[in-house]
Amino acid sequence: MIKALGNNIIIKPNPFEEKPLGSSIIRPQSSEQRQPVRRGIVVSVGTEYKGNNDLKVEDEVIFLYKGPPTKWGEYLVVKEDFVLGILEKWQ
């Protein structure tokens, strides 16, 4: 078991996603720098997460893979600002 600290979020990336999703995010400061968007499952949310408790363990999220990432085994550690959204299940 791994526990996120601070405002970090630990994500298990989608193993079937060999490359980033088709779209990219362009940062406003520079049109030259593109950061790929990835998908994954939240494993742990740090205690200093500032969201409205809307992000929970086992949520599927899209996030910026701003590299080089901090890796621990098969997990990625990202700051809360790099989580772009929660994918909701179709009903």
Side-chain angles (χ1 to χ4, degrees):
M1 185 72 173
I2 183 169
K3 182 178 179 181
L5 300 176
N7 68 341
N8 293 310
I9 298 166
I10 299 176
I11 298 174
K12 183 175 183 177
N14 186 342
F16 301 108
E17 189 178 271
E18 294 179 8
K19 57 184 180 178
L21 297 175
S23 62
S24 294
I25 301 296
I26 300 175
R27 300 177 75 188
Q29 300 94 324
S30 170
S31 61
E32 300 294 321
Q33 296 178 343
R34 294 175 184 240
Q35 298 177 341
V37 176
R38 303 223 21 212
R39 292 170 65 159
I41 303 294
V42 174
V43 175
S44 180
V45 179
T47 57
E48 295 178 24
Y49 170 67
K50 296 180 183 121
N52 298 336
N53 295 327
D54 50 353
L55 185 65
K56 299 177 286 305
V57 172
E58 297 186 2
D59 279 347
E60 185 174 11
V61 295
I62 56 173
F63 62 98
L64 287 178
Y65 185 74
K66 184 174 182 172
T70 305
K71 282 190 167 185
W72 187 79
E74 58 189 40
Y75 304 109
L76 297 174
V77 179
V78 297
K79 296 287 185 193
E80 68 176 302
D81 294 340
F82 296 118
V83 175
L84 303 175
I86 301 170
L87 297 171
E88 295 183 355
K89 306 221 184 305
W90 290 93
Q91 295 183 6

